[in-house]
Amino acid sequence: MIMATKVKVLGFWCSPFVFRVVWALKLKGVEFEYIEEDIFNKSTRLLELNPVHKKVPVLVHDDKVIVESLVILEYIDETWPQDPLLPQDPYERAMARFWAKFADEKLMQTAWKSTCTKGEEKEDALKATMEVLEKIEGELKGKSYFGGENKYAYLEIAIGWINYLIPIWEEIASIQFLDPKRFPAITAWKSKFLDNPLIKETLPPREKLLIYLHERVKHREIDATIRELAETKLEN
Ligand SMILES: N[C@@H](CCC(=O)N[C@@H](CS)C(=O)NCC(=O)O)C(=O)O
Ligand SMILES: *[C@@H]1O[C@H](CO)[C@@H](O)[C@H](O)[C@H]1NC(C)=O
């Protein structure tokens, strides 16, 4: 364990962005203090440390503050170079960053939207989600991990949220995103990922996550109904 410096992480117990940072630090054996934030009632500490986005994760390293999970991952990799996350080759590094960005921009919102919405909106979101998953499947095909044999590569950590969140979303919405026949590479990778002790010890209990996300879906539905009512009122 590296003890010389002080590392703190501001997080939220089920955030896919926070897990990236926690996994990377644990993997590299960097000791850190974890501080749970209430993202629905933000502390002045959070607002002061991340005034731009007001979001978690926030990494505090001595007196330096770093935000945005993918940026934090690169900072961690450069500051503690043991067990590297990113590949050495510049092209491979670029590709790893490309896929992480792609999944963040194209997958997370659409998959969540498929979970929360109804009717045509849901159909469209589901279709878009499947297209993205197909691209990711293509990238993983023929490999054990995104990083080849490196089971703790940058992309594993960046996209790993798929493995614990998507199954819960599937259950809540009674839809199947990850059909093992259609996505054999992702399915195999998912089991390996979830079996990994480092991942197991950090993920929250499935029941707790299920209850919480159910609530989030309900809130989204209520918000949408209120918006609709407000719009009809304006029209009349
Ligand atoms: N792009 C950011 C996203 C972080 C993010 O959305 N964090 C959520 C928790 S899952 C948050 O703090 N939400 C509070 C808010 O949106 O006000 C990252 O990669 O770190
Ligand atoms: C919000 O957080 C403050 C302290 O940071 C606390 O005193 C207050 O009770 C919290 N409010 C709610 C609604 O949880």
Side-chain angles (χ1 to χ4, degrees):
M1 284 283 167
I2 297 156
M3 306 270 293
T5 49
K6 247 199 141 78
V7 179
K8 286 186 194 147
V9 176
L10 271 61
F12 180 65
W13 65 278
C14 64
S15 164
F17 308 104
V18 172
F19 278 127
R20 289 173 177 163
V21 175
V22 168
W23 291 334
L25 290 172
K26 286 198 167 216
L27 157 70
K28 285 173 179 279
V30 179
E31 199 161 272
F32 63 97
E33 183 191 343
Y34 176 83
I35 300 161
E36 177 74 7
E37 281 290 333
D38 181 356
I39 58 170
F40 303 101
N41 179 21
K42 292 172 185 171
S43 68
T44 42
R45 177 181 48 211
L46 176 61
L47 300 177
E48 277 167 17
L49 290 175
N50 188 359
V52 177
H53 291 300
K54 309 176 176 71
K55 288 182 179 184
V56 291
V58 176
L59 181 81
V60 185
H61 180 207
D62 291 331
D63 53 356
K64 291 170 293 230
V65 181
I66 305 110
V67 300
E68 285 298 302
S69 58
L70 293 178
V71 176
I72 298 174
L73 276 194
E74 299 223 16
Y75 178 83
I76 291 174
D77 211 24
E78 287 169 12
T79 307
W80 298 281
Q82 69 273 20
D83 298 310
L85 300 172
L86 276 160
Q88 288 307 301
D89 178 70
Y91 177 71
E92 283 176 27
R93 289 164 81 86
M95 287 302 104
R97 293 180 180 120
F98 167 83
W99 285 108
K101 189 166 182 280
F102 174 75
D104 268 16
E105 287 173 359
K106 300 285 180 189
L107 183 61
M108 208 180 272
Q109 284 307 320
T110 39
W112 177 236
K113 207 168 166 192
S114 324
T115 311
C116 295
T117 54
K118 291 203 168 68
E120 204 177 320
E121 207 180 355
K122 190 189 198 81
E123 289 300 312
D124 289 348
L126 199 53
K127 196 164 158 264
T129 306
M130 290 304 171
E131 278 167 18
V132 172
L133 284 173
E134 249 151 35
K135 301 271 191 318
I136 293 175
E137 175 73 17
E139 174 58 19
L140 191 57
K141 212 168 152 186
K143 295 192 276 194
S144 299
Y145 300 97
F146 286 99
E149 290 310 306
N150 181 2
K151 66 174 168 184
Y152 289 124
Y154 171 82
L155 258 189
E156 266 57 46
I157 286 179
I159 311 190
W161 63 268
I162 293 177
N163 298 317
Y164 80 95
L165 275 185
I166 284 198
I168 308 256
W169 294 352
E170 286 178 323
E171 188 168 334
I172 290 174
S174 304
I175 42 179
Q176 191 180 35
F177 293 111
L178 289 175
D179 176 357
K181 285 206 195 71
R182 191 163 168 190
F183 303 110
I186 299 179
T187 306
W189 170 69
K190 183 175 101 187
S191 327
K192 271 180 288 190
F193 185 90
L194 294 176
D195 265 348
N196 189 323
L198 188 145
I199 305 299
K200 263 192 191 161
E201 73 175 31
T202 47
L203 287 178
R206 191 188 159 83
E207 263 317 292
K208 189 177 172 198
L209 206 51
L210 200 58
I211 292 167
Y212 168 74
L213 287 174
H214 231 130
E215 279 303 306
R216 302 296 310 146
V217 172
K218 251 195 274 171
H219 271 283
R220 236 194 98 127
E221 281 167 0
I222 293 167
D223 286 349
T225 315
I226 291 171
R227 251 198 322 273
E228 257 170 47
L229 285 174
E231 275 161 20
T232 5
K233 217 169 171 188
L234 280 178
E235 278 161 18
N236 293 338

